[in-house]
Amino acid sequence: MSTALLEVKQLTVGYGAAPVLHEVDLTIGEGQIVAVLGANGAGKTTLLRAISNMLPITAGTAKFDGIDLKPVKVERMVRHGIAHVPEGRGVVTELTVEENLRLGGLWRKGKPDLDEVYDLFPAIANRRNHLGHQLSGGERQMLAIGRALVAKPRLLLLDEPSLGLAPKITAQIMGLLRDLRDRTGLAVLLVEQNVRSALSVADEGVVLNLGRVVTRQKADTLADDADLRHAYLGF
């Protein structure tokens, strides 16, 4: 792993007066996939939302390539190289596939190159003129990820990409993440309830419990740790 691309130190975040994350430390390097795992309510989504400044940081810091993210506005995160795909496959259902993808590149000069996304996701390439509401759940997830990739991020924050999807589509998306990491050096911070899928593509796994980091281990080591899996991951 290279020097840290994302460095989170002693991060404390909450909703109102109630803290959800407690002094979380996390690093991710160029070209690394880190899976954030834990039960519902562990603070996984809150972590991503804090990094992208959708939630205010109460204490601690989050730095990207040495830049303090706290003063960076949410809408400018993509200019710094961070793309966030939230849970729920958020696409603009009234727009076509191609119009959704072009939204991802609005901040760049000139027309965004969509061919790479279409090559990655042939299913949506064949439906580029269809409206968002006409897509299946898997196609919407592909579109949401594709729109993020149009921005050419260095770090992708990906929240529950397999939620509600068939195993075949989940495997396709996980394989894509590994391929992008290998080909482009994209770093991915992956929140995922499907622990086996996440660990199959991640380099490392971080386990959260009640807003605190319980452990960080290599993905294959974590997958083999039966006691920890039973205690915190439910399998």
Side-chain angles (χ1 to χ4, degrees):
M1 185 181 70
S2 62
T3 56
L5 180 65
L6 175 71
E7 187 172 22
V8 173
K9 287 187 176 180
Q10 297 292 288
L11 191 71
T12 299
V13 180
Y15 296 87
V20 176
L21 296 178
H22 307 268
E23 300 177 345
V24 169
D25 291 334
L26 174 73
T27 58
I28 181 170
E30 295 269 9
Q32 188 181 32
I33 300 176
V34 175
V36 182
L37 310 170
N40 287 334
K44 305 184 299 297
T45 292
T46 298
L47 176 62
L48 297 193
R49 289 171 62 86
I51 291 169
S52 60
N53 251 349
M54 297 172 71
L55 286 173
I57 295 173
T58 305
T61 59
K63 292 184 178 181
F64 181 74
D65 203 18
I67 298 172
D68 185 3
L69 294 176
K70 192 171 183 178
V72 179
K73 293 182 179 180
V74 176
E75 62 271 17
R76 297 190 69 83
M77 283 289 172
V78 68
R79 296 175 183 265
H80 287 270
I82 300 175
H84 186 171
V85 180
E87 179 184 344
R89 303 187 281 276
V91 302
V92 183
T93 57
E94 296 82 4
L95 298 181
T96 66
V97 166
E98 184 135 329
E99 288 167 341
N100 267 281
L101 290 176
R102 291 193 182 283
L103 285 178
L106 277 181
W107 68 277
R108 290 183 170 274
K109 293 181 179 180
K111 290 185 177 181
D113 181 6
L114 307 185
D115 289 340
E116 183 176 0
V117 173
Y118 287 139
D119 288 342
L120 292 171
F121 298 113
I124 62 172
N126 295 331
R127 295 171 68 79
R128 65 185 70 191
N129 294 318
H130 286 68
L131 299 175
H133 69 79
Q134 296 175 306
L135 305 181
S136 68
E139 289 166 343
R140 288 192 192 189
Q141 186 61 276
M142 294 174 191
L143 178 55
I145 296 172
R147 185 174 61 189
L149 294 177
V150 169
K152 303 292 185 183
R154 297 171 65 195
L155 172 65
L156 180 65
L157 307 178
L158 191 53
D159 196 355
E160 300 286 8
S162 75
L163 188 65
L165 300 185
K168 181 178 179 180
I169 301 299
T170 296
Q172 181 181 349
I173 289 173
M174 294 300 172
L176 170 70
L177 296 180
R178 183 167 47 204
D179 180 60
L180 286 169
R181 184 269 314 275
D182 294 343
R183 289 194 300 105
T184 70
L186 177 69
V188 182
L189 190 57
L190 171 65
V191 164
E192 181 54 68
Q193 285 281 15
N194 190 329
V195 177
R196 293 183 189 276
S197 284
L199 292 179
S200 73
V201 299
D203 299 295
E204 295 187 354
V206 175
V207 179
L208 289 180
N209 183 51
L210 300 177
R212 299 183 186 277
V213 175
V214 176
T215 188
R216 175 172 181 163
Q217 299 183 31
K218 290 186 178 298
D220 54 357
T221 302
L222 185 56
D224 291 337
D225 190 334
D227 290 339
L228 190 145
R229 289 191 284 106
H230 291 322
Y232 298 107
L233 302 178
F235 78 98

